[in-house]
Amino acid sequence: MSAEPVRIAVDLLGGDHAPGVVVDGAIQAADADPQVLPVLVGPPDVAASLLADRGADGRFPVVAASQVVAMDEHPARAVRAKRDATVRVAARLVRDGEAAALVSAGSTGATMAAALFTFGRLAGVTRPPLAVVVAALEHPVVLLDTGATVEADANLLAQFAVAGAAYARVRFGLAQPRVGLLSVGAENCKGDPVRKEAHDAIAAVLADLPAEFVGNVEGGDVPLGGPADVVVTDGFTGNVLLKGLEGMLARIAGDSELRRAAGDLDPDSTGGGVLLGVDGVAVVGHGASSARAIASCIHLAAQVASRRTAIPHERDEDIAMARPWASS
Amino acid sequence: MSAEPVRIAVDLLGGDHAPGVVVDGAIQAADADPQVLPVLVGPPDVAASLLADRGADGRFPVVAASQVVAMDEHPARAVRAKRDATVRVAARLVRDGEAAALVSAGSTGATMAAALFTFGRLAGVTRPPLAVVVAALEHPVVLLDTGATVEADANLLAQFAVAGAAYARVRFGLAQPRVGLLSVGAENCKGDPVRKEAHDAIAAVLADLPAEFVGNVEGGDVPLGGPADVVVTDGFTGNVLLKGLEGMLARIAGDSELRRAAGDLDPDSTGGGVLLGVDGVAVVGHGASSARAIASCIHLAAQVASRRTAIPHERDEDIAMARPWASS
């Protein structure tokens, strides 16, 4: 049953604690699952020296790339200008079939730009959302967008609904994922004008797809896992909520007794976000990622990439736009 | 040192579990602090029967009011039409000095409308924000707006910054509260166009006040208590974040071991939101409030109302707009 290991292109220079924790994370990921082979994308001398320090000389392939996109640069402009940026080289490896997926803990905007330019959008997609799975009490919840696009109109929220439903179908094997619109009250009259308009747009677009629209959900339904498997929002609100939930876990971790009991709620163990709507797999980790968080991202990337060949390649555009790993 | 008890007008019909839990909460509040006297506002026969059931006949004054504002009504229109709505009668008691503050677990919009119509706005206020104190890891954090107004432009966010700083000064005795703007990254270039514009507006309005603007903060800074004592956002984002944090606590409470250890993080113990920018004290509880949550709201109302006489009555309009309990 042994197969070729899954090659994951890892951005050596992405993240607040790169490159050290990136190499540590790659080692942790490969130790935990020999079927995963991280490919380090960055300056070869840096990679070699870090691997040597850890007694791991030559353990992973290294692909040379020298430029980095800083957090305060305009992501799309910087990615366009820097042909040798690590995240862009990593995306090319995926496009060319030399890696199954890329992982970066650098700028979300830079990874999105690199994925858009290099993989291309799927049909019907204007802005690719970043989807994160929250380990809620009752069932996993796909939350999107968590920060790729800070403003969303009703049509974009409807796109996110389709993409999120497709992701939940494939990742969790749900035949009919329940999709909710994040708002300030369960009553469908609650919300700002964008939400009120999105309500009808989402109901219309999901009507012909294998998904059920359950209407408005609230912030608490994301950690609890209420009526929805997929929770749709703009990237501003989704990012604030996700970081708030992670902060609350860290708040709890400040208490040693709670820390012991929290176990599977540890945010480092949940992996990063998957960029949907592009024709390739890209996983975005937190800027502040620890080695364990990087390892989780690498496992998530391998898991999503391995489903790629198992997805029927429907030509239906409504479905196609949502398949993060669809072949074109 | 014994003084007259502080009379708190309590909306008997507000909340998903009213009127039973409201009476239970009033009893809990008075049992815990004999200096607090709940005044039940609602149908006298309902109040009398519930008190009798609990062996508390005649324990609290009752003020008659018969109408209720439902969650799916337009709050301002309903409050205007229903002169005998419980929340409106409660607000009149406060205006007329017969109660020091009101508490309602009914519709937030209805309580805001009743407070606006009956108490009036303070100078400079257009929309009163709802401020909630989050028991963060490092220090209490004032989060506002948490749902009174679902859309906010840069000027409104600047008003909220002033109001939140004044509240933090008085409630926590901070000489120079640190105010942060909730966004998707600590870098000040991060955020949607409203946030980018609000950045300058907040810096300008706080420049002449006893407060420090610390720039952007992130969702995790609310439960952790990072660089800011006051976190400013629109009511949509604030409501989603607050309910998410509360849901995460409930998520943890689902685990019995965590439940034991969580203790002071219990959302029921933290009280409700205080409506700032109106000339009277109104505390808004969750619709789903338990008896313990109602009791916490009553204590919070008494605590905030008791500070009212201790506040210097500055005539400075920039300050005045922010004093939730300022005399006019």
Side-chain angles (χ1 to χ4, degrees):
Chain A
M1 293 291 290
S2 169
E4 280 289 293
V6 181
R7 296 164 68 95
I8 307 294
V10 180
D11 177 358
L12 186 64
L13 302 183
D16 303 347
H17 310 301
V21 295
V22 176
V23 173
D24 291 333
I27 291 170
Q28 283 187 23
D31 283 349
D33 181 357
Q35 285 304 103
V36 167
L37 181 64
V39 176
L40 303 179
V41 182
D45 55 331
V46 172
S49 153
L50 289 166
L51 286 169
D53 289 347
R54 289 153 177 83
D57 311 68
R59 180 164 179 190
F60 305 128
V62 176
V63 173
S66 63
Q67 291 175 297
V68 68
V69 178
M71 294 301 271
D72 59 358
E73 287 187 277
H74 186 285
R77 266 181 240 139
V79 168
R80 214 180 276 277
K82 295 179 174 177
R83 287 189 54 81
D84 200 40
T86 47
V87 71
R88 203 168 152 183
V89 173
R92 283 201 292 267
L93 293 177
V94 176
R95 182 196 64 194
D96 298 343
E98 290 166 40
L102 81 82
V103 166
S104 176
S107 153
T108 300
T111 305
M112 181 170 83
L116 273 175
F117 298 160
T118 312
F119 301 164
R121 291 177 180 80
L122 296 179
V125 172
T126 52
R127 305 276 298 177
L130 190 65
V132 167
V133 175
V134 176
L137 185 63
E138 296 174 26
H139 49 77
V141 171
V142 175
L143 175 67
L144 77 169
D145 174 26
T146 60
T149 301
V150 292
E151 282 189 300
D153 62 14
N155 285 331
L156 195 54
L157 291 174
Q159 276 185 34
F160 294 172
V162 174
Y167 186 51
R169 256 193 315 274
V170 175
R171 177 123 184 240
F172 300 111
L174 300 171
Q176 187 91 3
R178 297 161 302 164
V179 178
L181 173 64
L182 190 59
S183 193
V184 296
E187 302 83 3
N188 290 336
C189 60
K190 295 284 177 74
D192 60 10
V194 170
R195 265 25 85 153
K196 290 176 186 172
E197 195 187 337
H199 214 274
D200 292 339
I202 294 173
V205 76
L206 293 187
D208 299 324
L209 292 176
E212 178 195 352
F213 182 44
V214 298
N216 280 5
V217 298
E218 298 185 88
D221 293 319
V222 175
L224 289 170
D229 303 301
V230 177
V231 172
V232 172
T233 192
D234 62 277
F236 187 89
T237 308
N239 185 276
V240 164
L241 175 60
L242 182 67
K243 287 180 178 162
L245 296 179
E246 291 169 341
M248 185 56 96
L249 288 177
R251 159 86 175 84
I252 288 156
D255 178 307
S256 58
E257 194 177 343
L258 283 167
R259 177 77 199 172
R260 267 200 310 283
D264 67 314
L265 287 173
D266 186 338
D268 281 2
S269 68
T270 61
V274 175
L275 211 53
L276 305 183
V278 287
D279 196 14
V281 179
V283 169
V284 177
H286 269 283
S289 286
S290 64
R292 188 164 164 228
I294 297 280
S296 294
C297 288
I298 293 171
H299 289 141
L300 173 63
Q303 188 190 356
V304 172
S306 69
R307 301 287 177 94
R308 184 171 181 158
T309 52
I311 311 296
H313 291 173
E314 305 94 337
R315 294 289 83 191
D316 180 321
E317 291 206 347
D318 285 334
I319 305 276
M321 63 172 272
R323 285 177 295 142
W325 41 77
S327 290
S328 52
Chain B
M1 292 294 288
S2 168
E4 280 288 295
V6 181
R7 295 164 68 95
I8 307 295
V10 181
D11 177 357
L12 186 63
L13 302 182
D16 303 346
H17 309 303
V21 295
V22 176
V23 173
D24 290 334
I27 291 171
Q28 283 187 23
D31 283 349
D33 182 358
Q35 286 304 104
V36 168
L37 182 64
V39 176
L40 303 179
V41 183
D45 55 331
V46 173
S49 154
L50 289 165
L51 286 168
D53 289 349
R54 289 155 177 81
D57 310 69
R59 181 167 178 188
F60 306 129
V62 175
V63 173
S66 63
Q67 291 173 297
V68 67
V69 178
M71 295 300 270
D72 59 357
E73 287 187 277
H74 187 283
R77 267 182 239 139
V79 168
R80 215 179 274 277
K82 296 181 175 176
R83 285 188 56 80
D84 200 40
T86 48
V87 71
R88 203 168 150 183
V89 173
R92 283 203 291 269
L93 293 178
V94 176
R95 182 197 63 193
D96 299 343
E98 289 166 40
L102 81 82
V103 166
S104 177
S107 150
T108 301
T111 305
M112 182 169 84
L116 273 175
F117 297 160
T118 312
F119 303 162
R121 289 177 181 81
L122 297 179
V125 172
T126 52
R127 304 277 298 179
L130 190 65
V132 167
V133 175
V134 175
L137 186 62
E138 295 176 25
H139 50 75
V141 170
V142 175
L143 175 67
L144 78 171
D145 174 24
T146 60
T149 302
V150 292
E151 282 189 302
D153 62 13
N155 284 332
L156 194 55
L157 291 174
Q159 277 185 33
F160 295 172
V162 174
Y167 186 51
R169 257 192 316 272
V170 175
R171 176 122 185 243
F172 300 111
L174 300 171
Q176 188 90 4
R178 298 161 301 164
V179 178
L181 174 64
L182 190 59
S183 193
V184 296
E187 302 83 4
N188 290 336
C189 60
K190 294 284 177 76
D192 60 9
V194 171
R195 268 20 89 151
K196 290 177 185 172
E197 195 187 337
H199 213 273
D200 292 340
I202 294 174
V205 74
L206 294 185
D208 298 326
L209 292 175
E212 179 195 351
F213 183 44
V214 299
N216 281 4
V217 298
E218 297 184 88
D221 293 320
V222 175
L224 289 170
D229 304 299
V230 177
V231 172
V232 173
T233 192
D234 62 277
F236 187 90
T237 308
N239 185 276
V240 165
L241 175 61
L242 183 67
K243 287 179 178 161
L245 297 179
E246 291 169 343
M248 186 55 97
L249 288 178
R251 160 85 175 85
I252 289 157
D255 180 305
S256 58
E257 192 177 346
L258 283 167
R259 176 79 199 171
R260 269 199 308 286
D264 68 313
L265 286 174
D266 186 340
D268 282 1
S269 70
T270 60
V274 175
L275 211 52
L276 305 184
V278 287
D279 196 14
V281 179
V283 169
V284 178
H286 269 282
S289 285
S290 64
R292 187 163 166 229
I294 298 280
S296 294
C297 287
I298 294 171
H299 289 144
L300 173 63
Q303 188 192 356
V304 171
S306 70
R307 301 287 177 92
R308 185 170 179 158
T309 53
I311 310 296
H313 292 172
E314 304 95 337
R315 294 289 83 191
D316 180 321
E317 293 205 347
D318 284 335
I319 304 278
M321 63 171 273
R323 285 178 295 141
W325 41 76
S327 293
S328 52

